[in-house]
Amino acid sequence: ALKPQGALYVSFKEGVAESTEPDGRRFTNLTLQRLELLLGSLTNILIRELWSYRAQSSSKQGEVWVNAIVTRS
């Protein structure tokens, strides 16, 4: 559980569905708008920052990631 005044960072690959990697790892993909709606529906959670960026590393080049920092009130 997130303690009062505690902070949480989350990051998701941009997309609209869950995905499974060839090695079996499963991921939930979200759009920036969906992440904002999801976090906004939680009680006692304040969205401090919400942003997206395009990855620059060679292994993830071109992938877009959506991120948020939230705190518990």
Side-chain angles (χ1 to χ4, degrees):
L2 190 59
K3 294 181 180 182
Q5 310 307 311
L8 175 69
Y9 166 78
V10 295
S11 182
F12 297 89
K13 190 186 292 188
E14 185 179 59
V16 294
E18 291 185 359
S19 62
T20 303
E21 294 292 314
D23 63 7
R25 294 178 297 151
R26 298 187 66 190
F27 293 91
T28 298
N29 304 314
L30 295 173
T31 63
L32 196 61
Q33 295 79 15
R34 180 72 178 127
L35 179 57
E36 184 174 24
L37 285 171
L38 177 67
L39 294 173
S41 71
L42 301 174
T43 57
N44 299 321
I45 295 294
L46 302 171
I47 299 172
R48 298 297 183 175
E49 293 185 49
L50 187 65
W51 74 97
S52 65
Y53 75 93
R54 186 171 305 278
Q56 300 298 316
S57 70
S58 60
S59 64
K60 299 185 185 304
Q61 192 166 9
E63 291 179 354
V64 176
W65 293 83
V66 296
N67 310 274
I69 296 174
V70 299
T71 56
R72 180 175 168 199
S73 57

